[in-house]
């Protein structure tokens, strides 16, 4: 039976359940802060959870959400983002984002940065984001 599964696995490798699209970040300067945005597509039936992001670009990387309290807008750290099955979740300005704190170098328009996203189900996913000014 196991051999059969192994053969099936080779013939039909499992499709990527999580796809990351349109990764971009704001240009910024060394020692400052910036934000990373992308769209997470979950093609699985099951929900998945993004709980950590790693980057060599910044000393600290946090998952943030934006909230409003009366007329005040602020942002705060969250521990994770849940992406329901067969749905997508967009990190975007004024909403959830990945906060890059204490940048180790300048990020100029057009620069590329690599990130590792950690998901509970899908595991590690490497992405490349391009720096561009928000439209
Ligand atoms: Cu933030």
């Amino acid at each position: 039976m196991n051999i059969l599964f192994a053969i099936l696995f080779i013939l039909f490798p499992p499709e990527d359940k999580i796809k990351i699209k349109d990764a971009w970040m704001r240009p910024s300067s060394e020692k400052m802060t910036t934000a990373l945005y992308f769209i997470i597509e979950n093609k699985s039936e099951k929900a998945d959870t993004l709980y950590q992001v790693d980057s060599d670009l910044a000393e600290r990387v946090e998952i943030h959400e934006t909230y409003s309290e009366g007329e005040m807008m602020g942002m705060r750290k969250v521990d994770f983002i849940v992406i329901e099955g067969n749905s997508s979740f967009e990190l975007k300005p004024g909403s959830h984002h990945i906060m890059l704190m204490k940048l180790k170098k300048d990020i100029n328009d057009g620069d590329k940065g690599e990130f590792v996203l950690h998901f509970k189900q899908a595991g590690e996913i490497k992405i490349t984001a391009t720096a561009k000014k928000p439209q």
Side-chain angles (χ1 to χ4, degrees), residues 54-79:
D54 294 334
S55 167
D56 288 337
L57 285 176
E59 284 185 28
R60 261 177 81 180
V61 182
E62 295 181 351
I63 303 171
H64 276 194
E65 68 176 0
T66 304
Y67 67 96
S68 56
E69 237 170 52
E71 301 196 341
M72 296 280 286
M73 285 267 276
M75 60 183 180
R76 61 191 162 207
K77 185 176 181 290
V78 293
D79 290 330

Side-chain angles (χ1 to χ4, degrees), residues 83-98:
I83 310 97
E84 298 299 331
N86 293 314
S87 73
S88 64
F89 189 101
E90 185 174 6
L91 290 87
K92 59 187 176 190
S95 183
H96 282 72
H97 54 277
I98 305 300

Side-chain angles (χ1 to χ4, degrees), residues 33-51:
T33 294
T34 193
L36 164 72
Y37 310 99
F38 46 83
I39 299 167
I40 307 168
E41 280 187 355
N42 184 1
K43 296 185 182 296
S44 160
E45 312 265 290
K46 274 199 224 160
D48 205 342
T49 304
L50 173 69
Y51 65 95

Side-chain angles (χ1 to χ4, degrees), residues 1-15:
M1 241 1 224
N2 284 335
I3 292 167
L4 178 62
F5 280 125
I7 291 168
L8 285 173
F9 189 86
I10 292 163
L11 293 178
F12 306 102
E15 224 189 310

